[in-house]
Amino acid sequence: MKPKITVIGSLNMDLLVKSSRFPNRGETILGESVEYFSGGKGANQAVAASRLGAEVTMIGAVGDDLYGDRLKEILKKDQVDISSIKTVGGESSGLAIILLENADNRIIVIQGANAHCTKEDIDLNQAKIRESDIILIQMEVPLETVNYAVSMAKTFNKTVILNPAPAQELSDDLLQKVDIITPNDTELRLLTNKKTEGYNFNQRIDMLLEKGVQHVVTTIGSEGSVYKAAKQELITFPAYQVPVVDTTGAGDCFNGALAFALGRGDSITDAIKLANKTAALSVSKYGAQSSMPTLDDVREFEKNLNYKK
């Protein structure tokens, strides 16, 4: 049976600008090319889970501009249920400007209609949340909506995965309701206070666990990921050797795959292993949603695994 996942989050049009290097402050340089891709953390994660085989519902908002219908149609082609995505009149769709230098990126996100994903939208989709196995949510919609959605999910005893990106201060009340939090290394530092310089992964993760989160999975880019649960030892999951073309969306791919694997009943360690493989495959292609692999792709990859040394 397909796992049922509800993703609550953003939909953006990604404007990908490639250049040989990033400009310095006040500097203008010539870029190499520009491309448009559908994106947004929520939509990316929805596509990642759907391509692996999950039954995915997306809750979010788009504008009534030229991008809104396009963003929904692209999701629909990937078998994502778009009936819970609303169109906000007089508002632009979310936009992400991605500067790409070789395999490194810097991203500026403009919320647009994503800022209009409200508590009322969560209420309207209560039935879909109740029917889901996993609720996957990020921070590109209002924090008030995130808090409300997490609280509702827990009243139905649903597993909540919170991808705290972009990172911001989170209340202890919210963290106590989160089953799994998935910061990258930068977000982990921000969540545990910049003043704690010198703290290692283990200490920072313990700070989140002490606030009530059940599981912390931290992605560390080309080094793989680390995982820890309360009163357990830190487990490291190494990365894989792959040709890196574009890291945009790799974290979203990881989260979508993690939700899929947990939804089908995998242990959390097995789910992290699948997520690592899936994310590794995603960086070998340009774009966020366009780079998300299928389960068949992952199985083919597994035949010739090559851990990074």
Side-chain angles (χ1 to χ4, degrees):
M1 183 178 295
K2 288 186 174 184
K4 292 185 178 181
I5 298 171
T6 292
V7 179
I8 304 167
S10 58
L11 300 93
N12 294 330
M13 182 56 69
D14 290 352
L15 177 62
L16 178 66
V17 179
K18 300 178 196 173
S19 64
S20 58
R21 64 178 179 85
F22 294 129
N24 295 316
R25 183 177 180 180
E27 181 186 19
T28 298
I29 64 172
L30 292 176
E32 296 175 356
S33 66
V34 60
E35 297 179 70
Y36 294 85
F37 297 96
S38 54
K41 285 191 167 296
N44 293 345
Q45 293 176 18
V47 169
S50 182
R51 286 193 183 173
L52 291 170
E55 184 178 321
V56 181
T57 294
M58 176 84 205
I59 300 174
V62 296
D64 61 354
D65 56 5
L66 70 158
Y67 296 136
D69 287 340
R70 181 177 173 187
L71 289 171
K72 291 194 292 184
E73 284 304 311
I74 291 170
L75 283 180
K76 188 176 181 180
K77 288 179 181 178
D78 268 305
Q79 310 303 314
V80 174
D81 179 355
I82 62 170
S83 62
S84 299
I85 299 173
K86 73 176 181 182
T87 299
V88 182
E91 184 60 86
S92 64
S93 297
L95 180 68
I97 301 170
I98 304 165
L99 301 179
L100 182 64
E101 174 195 6
N102 296 320
D104 193 14
N105 65 58
R106 297 182 184 183
I107 304 173
I108 300 172
V109 175
I110 299 167
Q111 272 193 303
N114 295 309
H116 297 274
C117 181
T118 66
K119 296 192 298 182
E120 288 71 24
D121 298 312
I122 305 305
D123 284 333
L124 286 171
N125 292 285
Q126 183 177 137
K128 291 187 176 180
I129 292 172
R130 187 189 296 116
E131 294 166 0
S132 298
D133 300 307
I134 305 286
I135 307 301
L136 177 57
I137 191 166
Q138 323 77 34
M139 307 300 299
E140 288 183 340
V141 295
L143 180 57
E144 180 183 46
T145 305
V146 173
N147 278 302
Y148 192 73
V150 170
S151 295
M152 179 181 288
K154 294 318 294 179
T155 64
F156 298 137
N157 295 315
K158 301 303 175 181
T159 297
V160 174
I161 302 175
L162 175 63
N163 177 216
Q168 56 184 284
E169 185 175 348
L170 301 177
S171 69
D172 291 356
D173 180 65
L174 173 61
L175 292 171
Q176 287 167 8
K177 298 170 185 173
V178 172
D179 297 287
I180 303 163
I181 194 167
T182 60
N184 63 23
D185 53 346
T186 299
E187 291 153 1
L188 178 64
R189 286 194 294 271
L190 290 171
L191 286 170
T192 54
N193 195 327
K194 290 181 179 179
K195 295 180 180 179
T196 55
E197 293 299 332
Y199 280 39
N200 59 30
F201 280 122
N202 202 42
Q203 292 169 312
R204 290 181 183 278
I205 289 171
D206 281 342
M207 291 175 69
L208 291 179
L209 292 171
E210 288 166 5
K211 291 179 180 293
V213 177
Q214 298 300 306
H215 305 271
V216 180
V217 181
T218 303
T219 55
I220 46 179
S222 62
E223 299 303 314
S225 57
V226 295
Y227 161 67
K228 192 174 186 181
K231 299 180 181 179
Q232 301 295 321
E233 294 296 319
L234 187 76
I235 302 174
T236 300
F237 298 84
Y240 297 90
Q241 288 185 345
V242 292
V244 178
V245 173
D246 179 10
T247 59
T248 306
D252 297 330
C253 187
F254 182 96
N255 278 275
L258 185 71
F260 163 77
L262 290 171
R264 71 176 183 180
D266 289 10
S267 68
I268 190 163
T269 52
D270 284 344
I272 294 169
K273 290 175 184 176
L274 177 73
N276 260 4
K277 296 167 190 171
T278 309
L281 278 173
S282 75
V283 302
S284 63
K285 297 180 180 178
Y286 285 116
Q289 291 174 28
S290 57
S291 69
M292 303 299 180
T294 65
L295 193 57
D296 285 341
D297 293 331
V298 178
R299 287 169 176 160
E300 185 64 27
F301 178 66
E302 287 174 333
K303 293 178 182 178
N304 296 292
L305 290 181
N306 188 14
Y307 281 101
K308 180 176 179 180
K309 296 180 180 180

